[in-house]
Amino acid sequence: MSKIIKPIDYQSVLDMRQTEQGIKLIKEFFQQNLSTELRLRRVTAPLFVLKGLGINDDLNGVERPVTFPIKDLGDAEAEVVHSLAKWKRLTLAEYHVEPGYGVYTDMNAIRADEELDNLHSLYVDQWDWEAVMTREQRNLDFLKNIVRRIYAAILRTEFLVCERYCMLKPFLPQEIHFIHSEDLLAMYPDKSVKERENLITEKYGAVFIIGIGGKLANGEPHDGRAPDYDDWTTECGEGKKGLNGDILIWYPVLGRAVELSSMGIRVDKESLLRQLKMSHKEDREQLYFHKKLLNDELPLSVGGGIGQSRLCMVLLHKGHLGEIQASIWPDEMRKECRQLGMTLI
């Protein structure tokens, strides 16, 4: 069965040369704006880390990392990163970054178990960022302020792209709407997660869904989150839990919600222990990263990832990630995309 989302009457507005120029424009402009908004310095990041240190992102806990043996380390195994969620926090400590400042980097990952479609690729590229915060800032208002600043950088980038390519018309709203996943479930109790996301995002144009990882009133989480980076159990007001969330925008080309960023306030010692217990992952307490956090050797932080190819795709009005990045796609998908007017690199 085809996994292609078929845009109606699709035709790429930009040719391949203009597309490559647009990708360069977006990547250079957005990362500078993100850096300025959140006071981030650029750092160099690893493509792989040693297995068994607890540094790699475990995502939902079932995705297999790409591994390989290292000859000069006695065939110790390395893992290609899924993301840099925990590595960044170690870096903040190593660089002695002060509260109010942080780091960002180009994250390149391989997710071999990804289900491929218009929005998902084996190759993941993100701007991964992390900033030091104070204990007093561990609240929802602080998180919302960070979200608004990131969204402002996205809006400025859209304006620049549409100025450069006048055939592209802006579609993002000026404001981003906030809603807790529990309230979203109450609004649409008979809908699936994706249906709820589509309905709320089509209504407002841009939404930040708060509280992802913990179980909702129906006994299921809105989406999966590893237990050892985002804080999804601390109360954030009105009895609702979660100091994390996703930025989604309504994308008219595909007629559905598209996630651009996953982010949140990170676990402190108490929430880490609580979430490890809830997830039956207490054995992780003995890993390198987790020991440093439990020994108060890591700063409190907020951070996330923003999809580079995803952002380029929506701002250049493309129908498939493969029009933005060079990756591996099934032959059948390439053929079907070509028939639909989507030329995959």
Side-chain angles (χ1 to χ4, degrees):
M1 183 179 295
S2 173
K3 297 178 182 177
I4 289 293
I5 305 164
K6 299 180 180 180
I8 300 173
D9 298 324
Y10 177 76
Q11 185 175 3
S12 179
V13 179
L14 306 180
D15 62 28
M16 294 186 75
R17 179 181 59 82
Q18 292 170 319
T19 299
E20 291 290 1
Q21 292 172 340
I23 293 169
K24 181 175 183 291
L25 177 70
I26 291 169
K27 288 190 174 184
E28 290 179 350
F29 183 81
F30 179 78
Q31 71 178 359
Q32 186 59 51
N33 271 260
L34 180 69
S35 172
T36 302
E37 275 287 352
L38 302 183
R39 296 194 288 187
L40 311 173
R41 72 177 72 152
R42 190 188 184 284
V43 295
T44 301
L47 177 60
F48 40 81
V49 294
L50 281 173
K51 183 178 181 179
L53 297 180
I55 298 175
N56 204 358
D57 182 354
D58 295 291
L59 301 176
N60 292 308
V62 296
E63 295 87 349
R64 301 168 301 167
V66 175
T67 62
F68 59 92
I70 305 172
K71 180 180 178 181
D72 273 7
L73 293 181
D75 281 344
E77 284 201 316
E79 295 179 342
V80 176
V81 298
H82 278 148
S83 85
L84 298 170
K86 290 177 278 190
W87 177 87
K88 292 174 299 181
R89 200 163 174 185
L90 293 166
T91 301
L92 292 176
E94 184 177 353
Y95 286 13
H96 303 290
V97 178
E98 296 294 324
Y101 296 88
V103 298
Y104 80 94
T105 190
D106 289 298
M107 189 282 294
N108 297 286
I110 299 174
R111 296 183 182 175
D113 289 338
E114 199 72 79
E115 294 187 7
L116 308 180
D117 58 23
N118 304 54
L119 297 168
H120 298 89
S121 170
L122 299 173
Y123 169 58
V124 180
D125 54 345
Q126 293 183 167
W127 289 287
D128 250 324
W129 65 274
E130 198 86 9
V132 179
M133 60 188 296
T134 65
R135 174 65 62 178
E136 292 71 32
Q137 291 173 324
R138 296 192 86 257
N139 58 68
L140 190 57
D141 286 341
F142 177 77
L143 179 62
K144 286 182 176 181
N145 178 262
I146 296 290
V147 171
R148 290 190 182 99
R149 290 158 69 181
I150 292 173
Y151 187 68
I154 293 174
L155 283 179
R156 286 195 293 272
T157 308
E158 183 190 44
F159 175 79
L160 176 69
V161 172
C162 293
E163 282 285 291
R164 180 68 58 89
Y165 302 105
C166 59
M167 61 285 264
L168 298 176
K169 304 303 178 185
F171 62 88
L172 294 175
Q174 291 304 299
E175 302 290 336
I176 187 167
H177 179 75
F178 293 89
I179 187 168
H180 194 281
S181 55
E182 197 73 75
D183 294 327
L184 187 58
L185 173 62
M187 287 176 66
Y188 308 110
D190 300 324
K191 303 296 184 181
S192 69
V193 170
K194 291 303 176 186
E195 288 172 335
R196 297 198 295 269
E197 289 181 350
N198 282 330
L199 287 166
I200 195 67
T201 309
E202 184 176 17
K203 181 177 181 180
Y204 290 103
V207 178
F208 185 75
I209 299 177
I210 304 163
I212 296 179
K215 290 183 179 180
L216 304 178
N218 63 356
E220 300 175 357
H222 181 84
D223 200 355
R225 276 296 192 279
D228 44 15
Y229 55 97
D230 280 356
D231 186 338
W232 39 262
T233 54
T234 295
E235 290 197 10
C236 63
E238 299 180 1
K240 301 182 182 73
K241 298 184 183 297
L243 291 171
N244 68 345
D246 290 343
I247 295 176
L248 294 93
I249 58 100
W250 180 254
Y251 189 38
V253 173
L254 296 181
R256 66 191 54 222
V258 173
E259 178 191 320
L260 294 182
S261 176
S262 173
M263 57 175 288
I265 291 173
R266 306 310 199 185
V267 289
D268 57 8
K269 183 171 16 179
E270 292 74 24
S271 55
L272 173 64
L273 290 171
R274 182 168 58 245
Q275 292 176 188
L276 289 178
K277 183 176 182 179
M278 292 174 65
S279 304
H280 307 293
K281 302 288 187 182
E282 294 96 330
D283 56 314
R284 293 189 187 180
E285 294 175 24
Q286 303 306 313
L287 298 177
Y288 173 78
F289 170 83
H290 304 71
K291 280 184 175 181
K292 291 186 79 69
L293 180 53
L294 293 172
N295 290 333
D296 296 317
E297 297 175 33
L298 301 180
L300 298 175
S301 68
V302 58
I306 302 163
Q308 294 187 14
S309 290
R310 282 267 184 101
L311 185 63
C312 291
M313 175 184 165
V314 300
L315 294 186
L316 298 177
H317 299 198
K318 296 293 185 176
H320 197 289
L321 269 181
E323 297 179 87
I324 297 296
Q325 59 165 242
S327 186
I328 296 174
W329 310 97
D331 290 339
E332 297 81 6
M333 183 179 290
R334 284 187 175 274
K335 181 180 179 180
E336 190 173 4
C337 285
R338 193 178 305 114
Q339 293 170 347
L340 292 168
M342 298 180 288
T343 302
L344 307 191
I345 297 172

